[in-house]
Amino acid sequence: MKIIIGIAAGTLTAISAVPQIFKVLKTKKVDHVSPFMFVILAFGNATWIWYGTILQDLSIIISNAFFSSWTSLC
C-alpha cells in the first residue's frame, strides 16, 4: 500500500502541469492559467502528505504541507 500511495503522489504532482501545457499549446497564449492544474497539484500534495504520514517522515509532510498552502491560495 505504501508503494502505491507513493507512486500515486509522485504521478499526480509530476503531471500537474500537463493541462496547462496543453492549454498553452492550443491557445498559443500564456496569460491564462488552467485551474485544473492546481486541482491535480493539490491532490498530489495531499497524497504526498498522506504518504509521509504513513512513513512518519516529517520532511515529506512539512514540505508538502507548505506547498499545499501556497497551492490553495491560487
Side-chain angles (χ1 to χ4, degrees):
M1 186 67 158
K2 290 179 193 178
I3 293 172
I4 293 170
I5 295 169
I7 290 170
T11 302
L12 287 169
T13 52
I15 66 168
S16 66
V18 171
Q20 184 61 49
I21 292 167
F22 282 133
K23 186 171 183 172
V24 168
L25 291 173
K26 182 179 175 183
T27 63
K28 306 288 190 234
K29 296 180 182 179
V30 294
D31 55 341
H32 294 85
V33 175
S34 171
F36 191 59
M37 178 184 78
F38 292 104
V39 171
I40 293 172
L41 188 57
F43 278 113
N45 284 337
T47 309
W48 272 117
I49 293 168
W50 181 20
Y51 183 63
T53 302
I54 290 171
L55 296 180
Q56 297 179 348
D57 187 328
L58 283 177
S59 62
I60 293 173
I61 297 167
I62 293 169
S63 62
N64 285 284
F66 177 76
F67 194 71
S68 290
S69 66
W70 280 101
T71 304
S72 66
L73 295 174
C74 299

